[in-house]
Amino acid sequence: MDLDFNKNEDNMKQALSQLRNRFQKIVIGGGLKSIEKQHEKNKKTARERIAYLVDDNTSFYEIGAFAGYEMYEEYGGCPAAGTVAGIGYVSGRQCIILANDQTVKAGAWFPITGKKNLRMQEIAMENHLPVIYIVDSAGVFLPLQDEIFPDKEHFGRIFRNNARMSAMGISQLSVVMGPCVAGGAYLPIMSDETIMTEGNGSIFLAGPYLVKAAIGETTDVESLGGAVTHTSISGIADYKFNSEEECLDLVKKIMSGLGHMQTAGFDRIESRAPLKIPEEIYGLIPSDSTRPYDMLEIINRLVDEPGIQQFKEEYGKTIICGYARIDGWAVGIVANQRTMVKTKKGEVQLGGVIYNDSADKSARFIMNCNQKKIPLVFLQDVTGFMVGTRSEQSGIIKDGAKMVNAVANSVVPKFTIIVGNSYGAGNYAMCGKAYDPRLILAWPTAKIAVMGGDQAAKTLLQIQVASLQSKGQIIEPAEEKKLLDEIRNRYEKQTSPYYAAARLWVDGIIDPLESRKYISEGIKAANQNPVIAEFKTGVFQV
């Protein structure tokens, strides 16, 4: 192995170590004292409940673990958005699991909590996956109520989705193991079945204090909305048990009896290991995101042996398109090539840049995959579309629009992994979050922004310096450098995968070696929805 390989490998392992350390802090939610308080009430934590619920010897694919990361610090933070969520198996059935983390502000809903829950419901609806809600929440976080209550993508959308999913035939189960207050009380009642724990579970529109203030009535939690009240008097809940384990055991029993639906029919054969050693990816991704590398070498460590069958291999070389298999599933790969390539005319094209020919090739390939009902996997390391007089006169906007049109109208499941750079319109064309990938994941090396840090910092510096000079202020070189460094540092923080994951621009940050598992699991989920719309494209320039 050469020196660059070892340097890259060390950089990736250091980034993965940082990822694991940060995740371990997220795992403890609101802290060890809050966890102890849960246990004192004979209550498990959200993660303990999920661990008890999911089948032994299966993986739980967590989504949104870094949601809320370094956000709301003035309120003490909101680890994992106060909700643990992901795809798991219960009684052999693949499903979505959502569990409020009561250790984080009593399970209160922050704006990012609502966004995360809506994302999980979106995944459930796209893939027709059953949903299990484990409810233990004090309701909306009141200091931020204006950011979560009234808008289309706010708290109320969750109950709208409950109704829509029910109409779609998607099973929903709610297990109420703690408070379920105010508007949140609708969630379990809009589920197919509701299970409550005696003593801890409660459901009501207004708690005892609010009832006293509103109508002068004195009451208590159990009389107002406890498990006995709702299973014996109101009839709102369906089952009650003394322990959380008994509640979760019933969930397992109910899940075991769900009927099986037709599949979408995506092709799968026996899985084969990649042609080349996957662990070598660590040494192939440059520690400097401006350095070139051969994306084909990455692909051949992600896909099953014998590797990728390239489409139009000699044309549009800055994007690799081709057919392959991942864990046995047939996939179409669309990946940015990061090496400099030569055209047949002898012209050199920059790696990571989308040119006219590569955009044209990609659009055609995406259409082919839709024709063949083959899921698409996008591997992003893109700095954008080629600019300049020659590109503009050659119609780069037209060809780029053609590619965006194909991606936007694609009806087969799409999965996106951000390997490195994800800049500007390249993010869109390569199926960024706005283009509805079933899952979008980032490696620790990912950077997401309108443009690169140096370009952005210099542009912003020019604007600030010009503004100051217009006011008659003189900027010394040392002061200008200091200002440039401040802008660059701020901008670089915003391009980080953690910044993106905190805001759910990506579903998670993963070890590159987990990519095959997540894509395979995503296609398995997508296969649960037998309905695939007819592929149509809109009007575009030819």
Side-chain angles (χ1 to χ4, degrees):
M1 297 294 178
D2 61 22
L3 189 61
D4 281 344
F5 184 97
N6 292 333
K7 182 181 177 181
N8 295 339
E9 185 178 44
D10 288 344
N11 180 72
M12 180 66 83
K13 287 183 175 179
Q14 186 177 6
L16 290 171
S17 176
Q18 182 185 64
L19 175 65
R20 287 188 288 269
N21 290 337
R22 290 179 174 182
F23 177 70
Q24 286 307 312
K25 291 179 181 178
I26 288 169
V27 165
I28 61 173
L32 297 177
K33 287 185 178 179
S34 295
I35 291 173
E36 287 173 13
K37 287 180 181 178
Q38 281 280 95
H39 292 162
E40 287 169 4
K41 297 174 184 176
N42 293 319
K43 296 171 69 175
K44 297 178 182 292
T45 65
R47 293 181 184 278
E48 289 167 345
R49 288 164 176 167
I50 291 173
Y52 182 90
L53 181 62
V54 298
D55 297 345
D56 294 336
N57 302 316
T58 63
S59 297
F60 178 67
Y61 296 86
E62 186 165 355
I63 293 171
F66 282 91
Y69 183 74
E70 292 187 339
M71 295 172 67
Y72 313 113
E73 291 184 336
E74 65 272 35
Y75 300 108
C78 187
T83 306
V84 183
I87 301 172
Y89 288 84
V90 178
S91 299
R93 300 302 300 271
Q94 190 184 39
C95 60
I96 296 292
I97 304 173
L98 278 156
N100 298 122
D101 187 348
Q102 225 274 339
T103 70
V104 179
K105 290 287 186 294
W109 288 60
F110 284 70
I112 195 66
T113 315
K115 187 174 183 179
K116 181 172 176 178
N117 277 259
L118 289 171
R119 173 60 177 149
M120 298 310 300
Q121 288 184 322
E122 178 183 44
I123 292 171
M125 287 189 282
E126 286 177 330
N127 300 295
H128 272 231
L129 292 180
V131 184
I132 299 168
Y133 304 99
I134 302 176
V135 185
D136 194 347
S137 171
V140 167
F141 186 65
L142 290 178
L144 297 172
Q145 64 85 27
D146 62 320
E147 297 179 40
I148 189 173
F149 169 64
D151 211 344
K152 181 178 178 181
E153 299 299 329
H154 284 177
F155 194 59
R157 187 79 171 184
I158 289 163
F159 315 131
R160 176 266 189 192
N161 287 349
N162 287 142
R164 294 288 300 141
M165 284 191 284
S166 185
M168 293 167 68
I170 297 172
S171 295
Q172 299 173 83
L173 301 175
S174 284
V175 193
V176 181
M177 295 182 163
C180 187
V181 184
Y186 289 104
L187 185 145
I189 312 312
M190 296 187 75
S191 299
D192 298 350
E193 296 179 86
T194 302
I195 306 162
M196 298 182 70
T197 51
E198 276 196 78
N200 285 324
S202 59
I203 306 171
F204 38 65
L205 294 179
Y209 293 118
L210 184 53
V211 168
K212 179 70 174 177
I215 63 172
E217 180 186 351
T218 301
T219 185
D220 58 72
V221 169
E222 286 301 312
S223 300
L224 191 61
V228 173
T229 293
H230 285 315
T231 55
S232 304
I233 301 172
S234 74
I236 280 175
D238 304 299
Y239 314 94
K240 64 177 173 63
F241 293 98
N242 291 321
S243 70
E244 295 190 355
E245 290 84 355
E246 289 173 293
C247 290
L248 296 173
D249 286 341
L250 180 61
V251 172
K252 296 178 185 182
K253 189 173 181 179
I254 294 171
M255 289 293 292
S256 70
L258 293 186
H260 293 265
M261 298 182 66
Q262 288 183 321
T263 66
F266 301 125
D267 189 65
R268 191 182 197 185
I269 61 174
E270 185 178 349
S271 177
R272 300 180 70 175
L275 183 67
K276 297 187 177 181
I277 301 168
E279 287 79 6
E280 290 176 352
I281 289 174
Y282 293 168
L284 294 172
I285 299 294
S287 54
D288 179 353
S289 64
T290 64
R291 295 281 301 276
Y293 64 92
D294 189 353
M295 181 62 86
L296 271 174
E297 293 298 321
I298 303 299
I299 292 170
N300 283 326
R301 288 163 175 82
L302 288 177
V303 305
D304 294 8
E305 188 184 2
I308 185 171
Q309 175 62 50
Q310 287 199 61
F311 173 79
K312 292 184 183 288
E313 183 175 353
E314 298 301 319
Y315 179 73
K317 291 184 176 182
T318 63
I319 290 186
I320 298 166
C321 296
Y323 303 103
R325 289 187 183 271
I326 292 178
D327 195 25
W329 293 103
V331 297
I333 304 282
V334 181
N336 303 111
Q337 175 58 286
R338 282 305 311 271
T339 62
M340 291 189 180
V341 298
K342 282 188 177 182
T343 66
K344 284 191 174 182
K345 296 179 180 178
E347 298 166 337
V348 176
Q349 294 183 337
L350 297 172
V353 178
I354 303 175
Y355 288 77
N356 299 71
D357 52 1
S358 49
D360 182 67
K361 176 175 82 170
S362 302
R364 176 63 181 270
F365 179 72
I366 290 164
M367 293 169 74
N368 279 353
C369 287
N370 277 271
Q371 179 84 350
K372 296 176 172 68
K373 298 294 184 286
I374 296 174
L376 285 158
V377 176
F378 293 81
L379 301 176
Q380 283 198 17
D381 194 342
V382 58
T383 53
F385 285 86
M386 190 59 191
V387 297
T389 304
R390 185 172 180 178
S391 288
E392 296 293 357
Q393 292 179 356
S394 297
I396 187 65
I397 297 174
K398 172 195 69 177
D399 292 322
K402 192 188 303 181
M403 182 178 176
V404 168
N405 197 315
V407 174
N409 286 298
S410 180
V411 295
V412 295
K414 305 184 292 281
F415 302 90
T416 302
I417 294 183
I418 302 175
V419 173
N421 302 318
S422 180
Y423 294 156
N427 170 282
Y428 303 154
M430 290 295 294
C431 197
K433 183 66 182 290
Y435 289 79
D436 298 321
R438 297 292 177 98
L439 290 174
I440 178 167
L441 302 159
W443 289 359
T445 44
K447 291 186 176 183
I448 305 166
V450 170
M451 62 180 74
D454 282 338
Q455 294 169 291
K458 288 174 183 176
T459 302
L460 291 168
L461 177 67
Q462 289 173 15
I463 293 169
Q464 288 197 26
V465 168
S467 175
L468 292 170
Q469 288 175 342
S470 69
K471 297 173 184 176
Q473 296 184 34
I474 299 173
I475 308 297
E476 298 294 334
E479 188 178 351
E480 187 172 315
K481 183 181 182 305
K482 182 182 176 183
L483 189 58
L484 177 64
D485 289 341
E486 287 175 358
I487 294 170
R488 183 186 287 113
N489 291 337
R490 185 172 67 250
Y491 193 87
E492 286 293 339
K493 182 180 179 181
Q494 292 177 356
T495 67
S496 155
Y498 293 97
Y499 192 90
R503 289 152 183 81
L504 286 171
W505 300 345
V506 296
D507 293 317
I509 308 169
I510 62 170
D511 183 328
L513 301 185
E514 294 180 312
S515 302
R516 278 171 58 86
K517 291 181 183 178
Y518 270 89
I519 292 169
S520 176
E521 196 65 23
I523 298 174
K524 186 173 182 180
N527 204 37
Q528 306 303 308
N529 185 355
V531 180
I532 301 177
E534 182 183 355
F535 176 64
K536 297 179 181 179
T537 57
V539 177
F540 55 83
Q541 296 282 352
V542 296

